[in-house]
Amino acid sequence: MDRRENLRHLLETYPDTRALPEHAVKGFLREAGLPAPDGFFIPAGGSLPDCSRLSYPLVAKVSSSRIRSKSDVGGIRLGLTNSAEVASAVADLMGIENAEGVILEEQAQAGTEVIVGGIIDPQFGPVVMFGLGGVLVELFHDVAFALAPMTRDDAYRLMERVKGYRLLTGYRGAPPRDREALADILVTVSELIATGFLEEIDLNPVALYPSGAMILDAKMFVAVRH
């Protein structure tokens, strides 16, 4: 089954949902060959799973289609190092208003944060967006856009159009970030948004390392279904 068919299957699994659940999006991205943390989804009222296949520290995050920003509601617990801390964090997060469950996953190492997105522009059609990630994108709006789908060469050119590109090439003696891994993510997002099945893709932040990358937060919004 190719990515397009995998995406169609994902949408069929959530037929009445516009904002796809984060755990389902990350599972889909892993199947598509992109790096996302390994973990579990615990639905509201569900019991704790066996976490033995995960490596500590873990992070727990509230999951809800009605909560736009997890940090705004205190919906993230970092640095969980044992089962007691996990149980306490999950119980706290389940108590947040509108919580539909909790995502429990391996906590990724800090890296250079970027944002990768896809939208359907009313004038240009499917478009990919790239820029500095995390809170930096809100502060500096250092982003660039390109038409989708794109080639790997298009992806590298898109990277070079943001002012913060120097952070990826080895700024002030820091090792360069893995632009090949970033190109993989950009090209895949461009192919997904070009299917017409989705209205928006938001991967923010994506942590880049000297070798590899990790998608820390992922959102997908379904296009209007006819």
Side-chain angles (χ1 to χ4, degrees):
M1 190 180 295
D2 61 20
R3 290 175 181 172
R4 184 183 180 89
E5 288 307 307
N6 282 345
L7 179 56
R8 190 192 300 273
H9 178 70
L10 175 64
L11 302 188
E12 291 172 350
T13 304
Y14 298 94
D16 302 317
T17 302
R18 180 175 174 270
L20 296 171
E22 180 184 348
H23 70 279
V25 172
K26 284 183 172 176
F28 167 77
L29 294 175
R30 285 194 296 270
E31 289 181 356
L34 297 186
D38 195 9
F40 298 97
F41 173 68
I42 309 167
S47 57
L48 282 175
D50 178 8
C51 298
S52 59
R53 71 175 173 84
L54 301 182
S55 298
Y56 288 103
L58 304 182
V59 56
K61 301 185 289 185
V62 67
S63 177
S64 174
S65 58
R66 292 171 287 179
I67 296 175
R68 184 71 179 184
S69 171
K70 300 178 185 68
S71 57
D72 286 351
V73 297
I76 303 174
R77 301 290 187 275
L78 299 170
L80 307 175
T81 59
N82 56 60
S83 58
E85 291 180 358
V86 167
S88 176
V90 169
D92 287 346
L93 295 174
M94 289 292 190
I96 293 176
E97 185 177 2
N98 295 322
E100 296 167 358
V102 171
I103 298 168
L104 187 64
E105 60 189 24
E106 294 178 348
Q107 183 171 317
Q109 295 180 347
T112 299
E113 293 187 351
V114 300
I115 179 172
V116 175
I119 59 170
I120 303 297
D121 183 89
Q123 181 175 358
F124 297 105
V127 172
V128 175
M129 184 266 287
F130 169 71
L132 295 175
V135 298
L136 295 178
V137 71
E138 300 173 7
L139 290 173
F140 301 120
H141 304 286
D142 184 17
V143 297
F145 297 85
L147 297 178
M150 62 167 52
T151 65
R152 291 185 70 84
D153 286 342
D154 294 332
Y156 292 122
R157 283 192 289 269
L158 179 60
M159 296 177 205
E160 293 170 359
R161 288 171 51 203
V162 301
K163 297 184 180 70
Y165 178 69
R166 291 178 64 192
L167 294 175
L168 307 185
T169 60
Y171 184 65
R172 291 185 177 271
R177 305 294 101 172
D178 192 337
R179 284 164 285 173
E180 290 76 14
L182 176 56
D184 288 340
I185 297 171
L186 286 166
V187 170
T188 300
V189 167
S190 80
E191 293 171 349
L192 294 175
I193 198 66
T195 63
F197 296 156
L198 301 170
E199 181 178 286
E200 181 182 350
I201 303 170
D202 182 13
L203 310 183
N204 182 34
V206 177
L208 294 180
Y209 309 111
S211 177
M214 189 61 69
I215 298 168
L216 304 185
D217 199 5
K219 299 182 179 69
M220 286 185 180
F221 298 89
V222 181
V224 175
R225 312 185 198 210
H226 300 286

